[in-house]
Amino acid sequence: MADPKLSLSAARPTPPSRMKHYFTLILLLVLIWLSARGTDSSLQELVQGFPNMLELLREMFPPKWSYLDNILPAMLETIRMALIGTTFGAVLAIPMALLCASNLTRLKWVHYPFRFLLNLIRTIPDLLLAAIFVAIFGLGPVPGILALSVFSLGLIAKLTYEALEAIDQGPLEALTSTGGNWIQIIVYSVIPQIQAHFMSFTLYTFEINIRAAAILGLVGAGGIGHYYEVTLGLLEYEKTSMIILFTLALVICIDVISMKLREKLL
Amino acid sequence: MTHHRPENAAMIKLTNVSKVYPNQTKGLQQIHLSIDQGEFVAVVGLSGAGKSTLLRAINRLHDITEGDIEIHGASITRAEGRQLRMLRRDIGMIFQGFNLVKRSSVLRNVLAGRVGHHGTLRTILGLFPKQDVDLAFEALARVNLIEKAYARADELSGGQQQRVAIARVLAQEAKIILADEPVASLDPLTTKQVMDDLLHINQELKITTIINLHDIDLARAYATRIIGLRAGEIVFDGPVEEATDERFTEIYGRTLRAESVQEINA
């Protein structure tokens, strides 16, 4: 049915300009170049350092398998730290997320201070948190657990309040009309809508915490990280590679399990 | 019992009620209205006439800007906190979008109607007394959905979900039912089921019922009294016999029949 005359004569809209894309690309390249100059890094240095990298890799191989016996307790401690830290963080995240969500309270200003507090928490890196807690509580897994708790609180509360703001408001209205109070409204119309998401966020945070817990030992906050520091310091690279492989295996295992669980939940 | 009140006291009484939205839109204008115990009132009018605003003013999901609304002699306009929740407990609401928690079971949705009758802690733990569970099953039996009690709400069809919402209001033991376009998203057959359920409840349990409808034929088939709204004002208030097509054409410039709306759309 196409009429050639019509399609040729009709004024077609001009396609949108591609200038914006080119401009973005140029801007990005300029930013990268400026960053490289600011940090005194150059491609040349990378090439020069390449043989050293190969040398290090060669020394790491073969991994010292027998070292497994030495690090197993520390690895278990890492898992325990992640488990406890995630749980504490998740429990604390529930009231925090409820107070941060702007759609659950009629008082308009309530969520502002709590969001500010949450942003403050999320600004501090977990390694720095661990260093602070080590300074307060001394060496060992306790400061590590506290650091992970605070980190988990920040992450889970952030993800949860964003999900809270996207829930269906209808059931809230229904519960209000039955004469329920604020807590009853939350329990009967909000929590059923959010609990699968919350569990999923918690599992995801646990995955991250396993990796984070593995390096907290660098600042003396317990777990496997301590052995990284020791073996690297003593140039025992075949032991370091053993720890890396072990950590990798563990992280993969936990990622797979947690991913399967999250698929089931949602 | 309320035998100390005069027998002819109105169940719902609106005195000079006006509602102006923050953007200066007039939702309701000087509404005077008195509805007696056991009446089945249909509120009709075009979209935007203020039907929903009127209903939501009665249980104060919306605040009014002027006037007073009394529920069996008690002002809901001035009620706060516990007093407001107690008044709301006696007013069940049915919504166009059902407003069930889709992930929760049918039974839990119906029991949500009971939360206003119990303390916070008890309802959080889900410890409803046996009478409440019996009441919930009785309510489900009345809408013929007893076998669906343990199904998830989102497994049910639209008509079934709306009947679950009716069961929730029944479990609430409300003395008034407000239904906001309860059949707008349903097909003719399920419309009849839902409307029949509402009529039976009104006749057998003497629950005062106010229902918003945009279809005058449906209003005439079920209601005993019809209120016509236009631009937030009552332009008709009388028994079904007086709500003739002629009167409505006079008021609205056209009829409010479903077919005539379809003709306009066609």
Side-chain angles (χ1 to χ4, degrees):
Chain A
M1 288 287 281
D3 186 342
K5 256 193 302 180
L6 202 69
S7 62
L8 283 175
S9 61
R12 295 187 195 178
T14 47
S17 166
R18 299 188 69 84
M19 274 310 277
K20 214 169 96 181
H21 299 287
Y22 297 135
F23 191 73
T24 311
L25 186 66
I26 291 166
L27 192 72
L28 202 60
L29 288 172
V30 168
L31 279 176
I32 291 169
W33 181 73
L34 284 175
S35 306
R37 229 182 53 154
T39 55
D40 280 331
S41 55
S42 70
L43 215 55
Q44 198 190 355
E45 240 175 297
L46 185 70
V47 175
Q48 278 170 355
F50 202 67
N52 282 340
M53 272 196 258
L54 286 178
E55 176 64 20
L56 188 70
L57 280 177
R58 209 186 50 74
E59 281 181 45
M60 278 186 167
F61 194 81
K64 194 174 178 197
W65 301 106
S66 61
Y67 196 53
L68 192 66
D69 294 340
N70 300 44
I71 57 173
L72 194 63
M75 196 53 114
L76 286 175
E77 186 178 72
T78 304
I79 300 174
R80 288 183 200 122
M81 281 165 59
L83 198 64
I84 298 171
T86 312
T87 309
F88 278 168
V91 170
L92 292 172
I94 296 170
M96 190 65 163
L98 289 172
L99 289 165
C100 284
S102 58
N103 56 337
L104 298 182
T105 158
R106 251 199 293 171
L107 298 170
K108 286 195 169 48
W109 48 267
V110 165
H111 62 275
Y112 287 114
F114 285 100
R115 275 193 203 180
F116 180 75
L117 185 65
L118 196 59
N119 281 331
L120 199 70
I121 290 171
R122 282 162 36 78
T123 312
I124 310 170
D126 44 5
L127 213 53
L128 179 60
L129 275 175
I132 293 168
F133 285 124
V134 166
I136 300 170
F137 298 98
L139 298 172
V142 173
I145 290 168
L146 288 173
L148 291 177
S149 302
V150 174
F151 170 76
S152 309
L153 163 68
L155 187 58
I156 299 173
K158 164 94 174 160
L159 291 170
T160 307
Y161 96 68
E162 281 176 359
L164 276 172
E165 291 189 337
I167 61 166
D168 178 8
Q169 293 282 313
L172 266 83
E173 208 181 17
L175 255 290
T176 310
S177 80
T178 65
N181 62 32
W182 190 75
I183 295 173
Q184 289 171 329
I185 293 171
I186 300 287
V187 171
Y188 276 80
S189 63
V190 177
I191 290 182
Q193 292 194 64
I194 204 76
Q195 62 187 10
H197 294 278
F198 177 75
M199 293 304 290
S200 164
F201 298 149
T202 304
L203 283 169
Y204 171 65
T205 308
F206 179 60
E207 287 172 38
I208 296 177
N209 278 349
I210 286 280
R211 265 164 284 181
I215 57 160
L216 288 183
L218 288 178
V219 294
I224 195 79
H226 173 64
Y227 288 84
Y228 276 113
E229 206 190 8
V230 171
T231 55
L232 282 171
L234 297 174
L235 309 179
E236 295 173 322
Y237 295 122
E238 74 283 358
K239 287 184 181 171
T240 312
S241 65
M242 184 59 230
I243 306 173
I244 292 174
L245 284 178
F246 193 19
T247 312
L248 180 71
L250 181 75
V251 166
I252 289 174
C253 277
I254 288 186
D255 277 12
V256 168
I257 294 168
S258 142
M259 214 169 66
K260 290 273 178 243
L261 277 174
R262 285 197 282 142
E263 276 170 14
K264 282 262 187 300
L265 277 171
L266 294 178
Chain B
M1 295 304 285
T2 52
H3 46 78
H4 58 281
R5 294 180 199 283
E7 199 54 42
N8 58 353
M11 194 71 177
I12 304 168
K13 190 158 186 281
L14 283 78
T15 313
N16 197 29
V17 169
S18 293
K19 159 97 185 170
V20 182
Y21 283 99
N23 63 5
Q24 300 308 311
T25 314
K26 284 177 180 156
L28 297 173
Q29 299 192 58
Q30 280 123 43
I31 303 273
H32 288 274
L33 190 61
S34 177
I35 293 168
D36 290 328
Q37 155 102 49
E39 277 196 89
F40 194 117
V41 182
V43 181
V44 299
L46 302 169
S47 297
K51 303 193 294 289
S52 279
T53 312
L54 178 65
L55 240 59
R56 276 150 214 262
I58 292 174
N59 65 359
R60 239 185 90 189
L61 286 183
H62 284 352
D63 281 317
I64 54 173
T65 36
E66 204 184 308
D68 190 34
I69 300 175
E70 285 176 20
I71 309 297
H72 225 311
S75 167
I76 195 167
T77 313
R78 289 190 296 269
E80 277 306 329
R82 184 173 167 76
Q83 203 189 352
L84 174 61
R85 292 200 300 273
M86 287 311 218
L87 283 169
R88 276 180 177 154
R89 203 173 81 176
D90 286 342
I91 311 173
M93 191 160 198
I94 292 163
F95 304 84
Q96 179 177 347
F98 323 138
N99 288 359
L100 302 179
V101 179
K102 296 191 177 61
R103 301 182 65 102
S104 293
S105 71
V106 165
L107 185 62
R108 192 176 157 92
N109 270 293
V110 176
L111 280 170
R114 297 296 304 164
V115 299
H117 294 261
H118 301 292
T120 309
L121 189 65
R122 182 162 205 166
T123 44
I124 286 179
L125 300 173
L127 297 173
F128 289 98
K130 191 176 169 297
Q131 299 98 288
D132 279 29
V133 180
D134 291 346
L135 202 61
F137 273 107
E138 206 179 293
L140 280 171
R142 203 175 268 278
V143 295
N144 278 321
L145 283 173
I146 203 156
E147 76 283 357
K148 298 283 187 191
Y150 296 103
R152 253 172 69 150
D154 55 7
E155 290 167 10
L156 272 59
S157 71
Q160 289 173 330
Q161 288 191 32
Q162 192 59 295
R163 279 147 62 207
V164 173
I166 294 174
R168 177 171 62 194
V169 169
L170 287 175
Q172 192 181 330
E173 293 185 303
K175 298 184 178 65
I176 298 168
I177 290 180
L178 307 173
D180 188 16
E181 299 273 4
V183 293
S185 51
L186 303 178
D187 62 60
L189 188 68
T190 38
T191 292
K192 189 175 179 314
Q193 281 180 322
V194 167
M195 290 301 294
D196 284 350
D197 277 341
L198 286 171
L199 185 62
H200 292 150
I201 289 160
N202 168 255
Q203 288 176 343
E204 288 161 26
L205 304 176
K206 300 281 172 275
I207 299 177
T208 312
T209 305
I210 308 176
I211 176 167
N212 281 349
L213 293 169
H214 56 259
D215 180 359
I216 184 76
D217 285 333
L218 209 54
R220 275 198 286 246
Y222 287 92
T224 51
R225 174 178 170 189
I226 291 181
I227 292 170
L229 280 183
R230 188 183 58 197
E233 283 180 286
I234 294 182
V235 289
F236 179 89
D237 184 357
V240 173
E241 302 79 58
E242 287 176 26
T244 56
D245 276 352
E246 290 72 39
R247 276 296 296 276
F248 274 81
T249 316
E250 218 177 279
I251 295 167
Y252 291 99
R254 62 186 195 76
T255 64
L256 289 179
R257 307 180 68 126
E259 307 94 86
S260 65
V261 175
Q262 278 156 14
E263 276 160 32
I264 290 165
N265 290 339

